[in-house]
Amino acid sequence: MNIQDIMKEVTEKMEQTRQKTQEHLDRIQVSISSKSLENIKVNIYETLLPIKNIARFNKIDSQTISIEPFDKTHAAAIESGITRSKQDFSVRRKGNTGSVYVTLPPLTEERRKKHVGEVHEQEEKEKVLIRNQRTHAKKELKNLPKEGISEDEIKKAEDKLQKITDKYIKGIEELCRKKKENLLTI
């Protein structure tokens, strides 16, 4: 392994960590969007399918979405799939129309603070993960002199590694800052 390989690998790992953070933050809801529902899997004829494959979404307001299954007999499966997803949604069916209404309860001050705490916890976990990835890459760099690479080259690589680490930590901090801001905006 050479310096470029180590840097490429650590950058890819840090990018995956940033993406995982974004996905986690997206699951903390302030308003409802079809994006938060479309990949929930539902059991249709013994096959798990994402809701987006079997229904269309209509946004009623910032807290409510109507899901219209292409086949009305799938409404019960959609309702049960959303309920099993353990997201903070209220789900109900309306009459024989086949429509499923999904509502995100309004955020109380208590829930807002709870979500801000979750965001902060996630931020700290991800920053630790980024630092651990840096530490692992540094160990790999330290082993390179045995392979004929100069100390100066390794020092430059370590400096570059620190800059990459700082960039990804700042990126995670920014994602989390925006989410906290979003949660606290009434």
Side-chain angles (χ1 to χ4, degrees), residues 172-183:
I172 287 173
E173 287 171 344
E174 183 61 18
L175 286 173
C176 292
R177 183 193 63 75
K178 286 179 182 177
K179 187 64 175 187
K180 288 176 192 175
E181 225 172 66
N182 189 352
L183 285 166

Side-chain angles (χ1 to χ4, degrees), residues 2 4 24 28 30 32 36 60 72 75 80 84 104 120 128 132 140 142 154 164 168:
N2 61 32
Q4 290 81 14
H24 181 81
I28 299 174
V30 175
I32 198 165
S36 60
I60 308 294
K72 292 177 185 181
S80 124
R84 277 194 325 273
L104 180 67
H120 182 72
V128 166
N132 287 343
E140 288 182 5
K142 295 279 186 205
I154 290 173
I164 292 169
Y168 278 97

